[in-house]
Amino acid sequence: MTRKLLLSAALQLFQSKGYASTTVDDIASTAGTTRVTFYAYFKSRSDLARALIGELNDLLGRSASAPVLVDVVAAGTYQAMAGWLHHRSSSWELFRPHLSAISEAATVEPELRGLVVGWFEEVIAEIKNGLDRAGRFVPEVRHSRAVLAFVQLDHLGRHWTEGRSEASREQVVTVLAESWFTLLGERP
């Protein structure tokens, strides 16, 4: 329970103050505990950020009903991509704080950079594997296409917010699906 309180307090502070401006004392105080208790659960602030990556992995976990990204890209249809993106976008609000926190943490903590880049590369690899499986496009450009698709998804997932954008989530995801289909889809 205390560990969850510390993670929740850190996430809240990272959103309001930013990762770089949030101290261990801030986190402990917001969680209603002490610095000593913080260190009983985490070795450092970057260790806590690693735990947030673990939480994000849990949040992004694939449910039995969700199609696997590799399969969606391999199918290459607009409908498959749009369906996956609509499903994934329904959770943007839920995992946005984690994505923002770990992205900022990676810019401040050198030991987290490789971990976050590796985490991003896993998603890019899933997209590329879908293209490989389908044999679409020349092999030399598949990774670049996967990077472009991921960057679009990551940017919208971290920045698009209901009520702050002129476009609805449905409209934004439709545009994203069109872009993904152009980048990744099966040509008639």
Side-chain angles (χ1 to χ4, degrees), residues 54-111:
E55 277 192 351
L56 181 58
N57 282 333
D58 291 343
L59 290 172
L60 292 172
R62 292 171 176 85
S63 67
S65 64
V68 177
L69 182 55
V70 174
D71 296 337
V72 166
V73 174
T77 66
Y78 174 83
Q79 292 77 13
M81 291 179 200
W84 187 89
L85 290 166
H86 281 283
H87 174 76
R88 181 57 68 197
S89 72
S90 67
S91 301
W92 283 350
E93 296 291 328
L94 178 64
F95 55 75
R96 179 175 298 121
H98 288 75
L99 278 173
S100 297
I102 65 168
S103 293
E104 185 180 344
T107 63
V108 174
E109 306 282 2
E111 69 270 16

Coordinates of all heavy atoms in Angstrom, one line a residue, residues 54-111:
G54 N 7.2 -0.1 -15.2 CA 6.5 -1.3 -14.9 C 5.0 -1.2 -14.9 O 4.3 -2.0 -15.4
E55 N 4.6 -0.1 -14.2 CA 3.1 0.2 -14.1 C 2.6 0.4 -15.5 O 1.5 0.0 -15.9 CB 2.8 1.4 -13.2 CG 2.8 1.1 -11.8 CD 2.2 2.2 -11.0 OE1 2.0 3.3 -11.5 OE2 1.9 2.0 -9.8
L56 N 3.3 1.2 -16.3 CA 2.9 1.5 -17.7 C 2.8 0.2 -18.5 O 1.8 0.1 -19.2 CB 3.8 2.5 -18.3 CG 3.4 2.9 -19.7 CD1 2.0 3.6 -19.8 CD2 4.5 3.9 -20.3
N57 N 3.7 -0.7 -18.3 CA 3.7 -1.9 -19.1 C 2.4 -2.7 -18.7 O 1.7 -3.3 -19.5 CB 4.9 -2.8 -18.8 CG 6.1 -2.3 -19.6 OD1 6.0 -1.8 -20.7 ND2 7.3 -2.6 -19.0
D58 N 2.1 -2.6 -17.4 CA 0.8 -3.3 -16.9 C -0.4 -2.6 -17.6 O -1.3 -3.3 -18.0 CB 0.7 -3.3 -15.4 CG 1.7 -4.2 -14.7 OD1 2.3 -5.0 -15.4 OD2 2.0 -4.0 -13.5
L59 N -0.4 -1.3 -17.6 CA -1.5 -0.5 -18.1 C -1.7 -0.8 -19.6 O -2.8 -0.9 -20.2 CB -1.4 1.0 -17.9 CG -1.5 1.5 -16.5 CD1 -1.1 3.0 -16.5 CD2 -2.9 1.3 -16.0
L60 N -0.6 -1.0 -20.3 CA -0.6 -1.2 -21.8 C -0.7 -2.7 -22.1 O -0.7 -3.1 -23.3 CB 0.7 -0.7 -22.4 CG 0.8 0.8 -22.4 CD1 2.2 1.3 -22.9 CD2 -0.3 1.5 -23.2
G61 N -0.8 -3.5 -21.1 CA -0.9 -5.0 -21.3 C -2.0 -5.3 -22.3 O -3.0 -4.7 -22.4
R62 N -1.7 -6.4 -23.0 CA -2.7 -6.8 -24.0 C -3.8 -7.6 -23.4 O -3.4 -8.7 -22.8 CB -2.0 -7.5 -25.1 CG -1.1 -6.5 -25.9 CD -0.2 -7.3 -26.9 NE 0.6 -6.4 -27.6 CZ 1.7 -5.9 -27.3 NH1 2.2 -6.2 -26.1 NH2 2.4 -5.0 -28.0
S63 N -5.0 -7.2 -23.5 CA -6.1 -8.0 -23.1 C -6.4 -9.1 -24.1 O -6.0 -9.0 -25.2 CB -7.3 -7.2 -22.8 OG -7.8 -6.7 -24.1
A64 N -7.0 -10.2 -23.7 CA -7.3 -11.3 -24.6 C -8.2 -10.8 -25.8 O -8.1 -11.4 -26.8 CB -8.1 -12.4 -23.8
S65 N -9.0 -9.7 -25.6 CA -9.8 -9.3 -26.7 C -9.1 -8.3 -27.6 O -9.6 -8.0 -28.7 CB -11.1 -8.6 -26.1 OG -10.7 -7.5 -25.4
A66 N -7.9 -7.8 -27.2 CA -7.2 -6.8 -28.0 C -6.4 -7.5 -29.1 O -5.6 -8.4 -28.7 CB -6.4 -5.9 -27.2
P67 N -6.4 -7.1 -30.3 CA -5.6 -7.7 -31.3 C -4.1 -7.3 -31.1 O -3.8 -6.2 -30.5 CB -6.1 -7.1 -32.6 CG -6.9 -5.9 -32.3 CD -7.3 -6.1 -30.9
V68 N -3.2 -8.1 -31.4 CA -1.8 -7.9 -31.3 C -1.3 -7.0 -32.4 O -1.6 -7.2 -33.6 CB -1.0 -9.3 -31.3 CG1 0.5 -9.0 -31.1 CG2 -1.5 -10.1 -30.1
L69 N -0.5 -6.0 -32.1 CA 0.0 -5.0 -33.1 C 0.7 -5.7 -34.3 O 0.4 -5.3 -35.4 CB 0.9 -4.0 -32.4 CG 1.4 -2.9 -33.2 CD1 0.3 -2.1 -33.9 CD2 2.3 -2.0 -32.4
V70 N 1.5 -6.7 -34.0 CA 2.2 -7.4 -35.1 C 1.2 -7.9 -36.1 O 1.3 -7.7 -37.4 CB 3.1 -8.5 -34.6 CG1 3.7 -9.3 -35.8 CG2 4.2 -8.0 -33.7
D71 N 0.1 -8.5 -35.6 CA -0.9 -9.1 -36.5 C -1.7 -8.0 -37.2 O -2.1 -8.2 -38.4 CB -1.9 -9.9 -35.7 CG -1.3 -11.2 -35.0 OD1 -0.2 -11.6 -35.5 OD2 -1.8 -11.6 -34.0
V72 N -2.0 -6.9 -36.6 CA -2.7 -5.8 -37.2 C -1.9 -5.2 -38.3 O -2.4 -5.0 -39.4 CB -3.0 -4.7 -36.1 CG1 -3.4 -3.4 -36.8 CG2 -4.0 -5.2 -35.1
V73 N -0.6 -5.0 -38.1 CA 0.2 -4.5 -39.2 C 0.4 -5.5 -40.3 O 0.3 -5.1 -41.5 CB 1.6 -4.0 -38.7 CG1 2.5 -3.6 -39.8 CG2 1.4 -2.8 -37.7
A74 N 0.6 -6.7 -40.0 CA 0.7 -7.8 -41.0 C -0.6 -7.9 -41.9 O -0.5 -8.0 -43.1 CB 1.0 -9.1 -40.4
A75 N -1.7 -7.7 -41.2 CA -3.0 -7.8 -42.0 C -3.0 -6.6 -43.0 O -3.5 -6.8 -44.2 CB -4.2 -7.7 -41.1
G76 N -2.5 -5.5 -42.6 CA -2.3 -4.4 -43.6 C -3.6 -3.7 -44.0 O -3.6 -2.8 -44.9
T77 N -4.7 -3.9 -43.4 CA -6.0 -3.3 -43.8 C -6.2 -2.0 -43.0 O -5.8 -1.9 -41.8 CB -7.2 -4.2 -43.6 OG1 -7.4 -4.5 -42.2 CG2 -7.0 -5.5 -44.4
Y78 N -6.9 -1.1 -43.6 CA -7.3 0.1 -42.9 C -8.2 -0.2 -41.6 O -8.0 0.3 -40.6 CB -8.0 1.1 -43.8 CG -8.6 2.3 -43.0 CD1 -7.8 3.4 -42.8 CD2 -9.9 2.3 -42.6 CE1 -8.2 4.5 -42.1 CE2 -10.4 3.4 -41.9 CZ -9.5 4.5 -41.6 OH -10.0 5.5 -40.9
Q79 N -9.1 -1.2 -41.8 CA -10.0 -1.5 -40.8 C -9.3 -2.1 -39.5 O -9.6 -1.8 -38.4 CB -11.1 -2.6 -41.2 CG -12.0 -2.0 -42.2 CD -11.4 -1.9 -43.7 OE1 -10.4 -2.4 -44.0 NE2 -12.1 -1.1 -44.5
A80 N -8.3 -3.0 -39.8 CA -7.5 -3.5 -38.7 C -6.7 -2.5 -37.9 O -6.7 -2.4 -36.7 CB -6.6 -4.6 -39.2
M81 N -6.1 -1.6 -38.7 CA -5.3 -0.5 -38.0 C -6.2 0.4 -37.3 O -5.9 0.8 -36.1 CB -4.5 0.2 -39.1 CG -3.4 -0.6 -39.6 SD -2.4 0.3 -40.9 CE -1.7 -1.1 -41.7
A82 N -7.3 0.9 -37.9 CA -8.2 1.8 -37.3 C -8.8 1.2 -36.0 O -8.9 1.8 -35.0 CB -9.3 2.2 -38.2
G83 N -9.2 -0.1 -36.1 CA -9.7 -0.8 -34.9 C -8.7 -0.8 -33.7 O -9.0 -0.5 -32.6
W84 N -7.5 -1.2 -34.0 CA -6.4 -1.2 -33.0 C -6.2 0.2 -32.4 O -6.1 0.3 -31.2 CB -5.1 -1.8 -33.6 CG -4.1 -2.1 -32.5 CD1 -3.9 -3.2 -31.8 CD2 -3.1 -1.2 -32.1 NE1 -2.9 -3.1 -30.9 CE2 -2.3 -1.8 -31.1 CE3 -2.7 0.2 -32.4 CZ2 -1.3 -1.2 -30.4 CZ3 -1.7 0.8 -31.8 CH2 -0.9 0.1 -30.8
L85 N -6.1 1.2 -33.3 CA -5.8 2.5 -32.8 C -7.0 3.0 -32.0 O -6.7 3.7 -31.0 CB -5.5 3.4 -34.0 CG -4.2 3.2 -34.7 CD1 -4.1 3.9 -36.0 CD2 -3.0 3.6 -33.8
H86 N -8.2 2.8 -32.4 CA -9.3 3.2 -31.6 C -9.3 2.5 -30.2 O -9.5 3.2 -29.2 CB -10.7 2.9 -32.3 CG -11.0 3.9 -33.3 ND1 -11.5 5.2 -33.1 CD2 -10.8 3.9 -34.7 CE1 -11.6 5.9 -34.2 NE2 -11.2 5.1 -35.2
H87 N -9.0 1.2 -30.2 CA -8.9 0.5 -28.9 C -7.8 1.1 -28.0 O -8.0 1.4 -26.8 CB -8.6 -1.0 -29.2 CG -8.4 -1.8 -27.9 ND1 -9.4 -2.1 -27.1 CD2 -7.3 -2.2 -27.4 CE1 -8.9 -2.8 -26.1 NE2 -7.6 -2.9 -26.2
R88 N -6.7 1.3 -28.6 CA -5.5 1.9 -27.8 C -5.8 3.3 -27.4 O -5.5 3.7 -26.2 CB -4.3 1.8 -28.7 CG -3.0 2.3 -28.0 CD -2.7 1.6 -26.7 NE -2.3 0.3 -27.0 CZ -2.2 -0.7 -26.1 NH1 -2.5 -0.4 -24.9 NH2 -1.9 -1.9 -26.4
S89 N -6.4 4.1 -28.2 CA -6.7 5.5 -27.8 C -7.7 5.7 -26.7 O -7.7 6.7 -26.0 CB -7.1 6.3 -29.1 OG -8.5 6.0 -29.4
S90 N -8.5 4.7 -26.5 CA -9.4 4.8 -25.4 C -8.8 4.8 -24.0 O -9.4 5.2 -23.0 CB -10.4 3.6 -25.5 OG -9.8 2.4 -25.2
S91 N -7.5 4.5 -24.0 CA -6.7 4.5 -22.7 C -5.7 5.6 -22.6 O -4.9 5.7 -21.7 CB -6.0 3.1 -22.6 OG -6.9 2.1 -22.6
W92 N -5.7 6.5 -23.6 CA -4.7 7.6 -23.6 C -4.7 8.4 -22.3 O -3.7 8.7 -21.7 CB -4.9 8.6 -24.8 CG -4.5 8.1 -26.1 CD1 -3.7 7.0 -26.3 CD2 -4.7 8.7 -27.4 NE1 -3.4 6.9 -27.7 CE2 -4.1 7.9 -28.3 CE3 -5.4 9.8 -27.8 CZ2 -4.1 8.2 -29.7 CZ3 -5.5 10.1 -29.1 CH2 -4.8 9.3 -30.1
E93 N -5.9 8.7 -21.8 CA -6.0 9.5 -20.5 C -5.4 8.7 -19.4 O -4.8 9.3 -18.5 CB -7.4 9.8 -20.2 CG -8.1 10.8 -21.3 CD -7.5 12.2 -21.3 OE1 -7.1 12.7 -20.2 OE2 -7.5 12.8 -22.3
L94 N -5.6 7.4 -19.4 CA -5.1 6.6 -18.3 C -3.5 6.5 -18.3 O -2.9 6.6 -17.2 CB -5.7 5.2 -18.5 CG -5.2 4.1 -17.4 CD1 -5.7 4.5 -16.0 CD2 -5.8 2.8 -17.8
F95 N -2.9 6.3 -19.4 CA -1.5 6.1 -19.4 C -0.6 7.4 -19.7 O 0.6 7.4 -19.7 CB -1.0 4.9 -20.2 CG -1.4 4.8 -21.6 CD1 -0.8 5.6 -22.6 CD2 -2.4 3.9 -22.0 CE1 -1.2 5.5 -23.9 CE2 -2.7 3.8 -23.3 CZ -2.1 4.6 -24.3
R96 N -1.3 8.5 -20.1 CA -0.6 9.7 -20.4 C 0.3 10.2 -19.3 O 1.5 10.5 -19.5 CB -1.6 10.8 -20.8 CG -0.8 12.1 -21.1 CD -1.7 13.2 -21.6 NE -2.4 12.8 -22.8 CZ -3.7 12.7 -22.9 NH1 -4.5 13.0 -22.0 NH2 -4.2 12.3 -24.1
P97 N -0.1 10.2 -18.0 CA 0.8 10.6 -17.0 C 2.1 9.8 -16.9 O 3.2 10.3 -16.7 CB 0.0 10.5 -15.7 CG -1.4 10.5 -16.1 CD -1.5 9.9 -17.5
H98 N 1.9 8.5 -17.0 CA 3.1 7.6 -17.0 C 4.1 7.9 -18.2 O 5.3 8.0 -18.0 CB 2.7 6.2 -17.1 CG 2.1 5.7 -15.8 ND1 0.8 6.0 -15.4 CD2 2.6 4.9 -14.8 CE1 0.5 5.4 -14.3 NE2 1.6 4.7 -13.9
L99 N 3.5 8.0 -19.4 CA 4.3 8.3 -20.6 C 5.1 9.6 -20.4 O 6.3 9.7 -20.7 CB 3.4 8.4 -21.8 CG 3.1 7.0 -22.5 CD1 2.1 7.3 -23.6 CD2 4.3 6.3 -23.0
S100 N 4.4 10.6 -20.0 CA 5.0 11.9 -19.8 C 6.1 11.9 -18.8 O 7.2 12.4 -19.0 CB 4.0 13.0 -19.4 OG 3.0 13.1 -20.5
A101 N 5.8 11.2 -17.6 CA 6.8 11.2 -16.6 C 8.1 10.4 -17.0 O 9.2 10.9 -16.7 CB 6.2 10.5 -15.3
I102 N 7.9 9.3 -17.6 CA 9.1 8.5 -18.0 C 9.8 9.1 -19.1 O 11.1 9.0 -19.2 CB 8.8 7.0 -18.3 CG1 7.9 6.8 -19.5 CG2 8.2 6.3 -17.1 CD1 7.8 5.4 -20.0
S103 N 9.1 9.8 -20.0 CA 9.8 10.6 -21.1 C 10.7 11.7 -20.5 O 11.9 11.8 -20.9 CB 8.8 11.1 -22.1 OG 8.2 10.1 -22.8
E104 N 10.1 12.4 -19.6 CA 10.9 13.5 -18.9 C 12.0 12.9 -18.1 O 13.2 13.4 -18.1 CB 10.0 14.4 -18.1 CG 10.8 15.6 -17.5 CD 10.0 16.5 -16.6 OE1 8.7 16.4 -16.7 OE2 10.6 17.3 -15.9
A105 N 11.8 11.8 -17.4 CA 12.8 11.2 -16.5 C 14.0 10.8 -17.4 O 15.1 10.9 -17.0 CB 12.2 10.0 -15.8
A106 N 13.7 10.3 -18.6 CA 14.8 9.8 -19.5 C 15.7 10.9 -19.9 O 16.8 10.7 -20.2 CB 14.2 9.1 -20.7
T107 N 15.1 12.1 -20.0 CA 16.0 13.3 -20.4 C 16.9 13.7 -19.3 O 17.9 14.3 -19.5 CB 15.1 14.5 -20.9 OG1 14.3 14.9 -19.9 CG2 14.3 14.1 -22.1
V108 N 16.4 13.5 -18.0 CA 17.2 13.9 -16.8 C 18.1 12.9 -16.3 O 19.2 13.2 -15.8 CB 16.2 14.3 -15.7 CG1 16.9 14.7 -14.4 CG2 15.3 15.5 -16.2
E109 N 17.7 11.6 -16.4 CA 18.5 10.5 -15.8 C 19.1 9.7 -16.9 O 18.4 8.9 -17.5 CB 17.6 9.6 -14.9 CG 16.7 10.3 -13.9 CD 17.5 10.6 -12.6 OE1 18.8 10.3 -12.6 OE2 16.9 11.2 -11.7
P110 N 20.4 9.8 -17.1 CA 21.1 9.0 -18.1 C 20.9 7.5 -18.1 O 20.7 6.9 -19.1 CB 22.6 9.3 -17.9 CG 22.6 10.6 -17.1 CD 21.4 10.6 -16.3
E111 N 20.8 7.0 -16.9 CA 20.6 5.5 -16.7 C 19.2 5.1 -17.2 O 19.0 3.9 -17.5 CB 20.9 5.0 -15.3 CG 19.9 5.4 -14.3 CD 20.2 6.8 -13.6 OE1 21.1 7.5 -14.1 OE2 19.6 7.0 -12.5

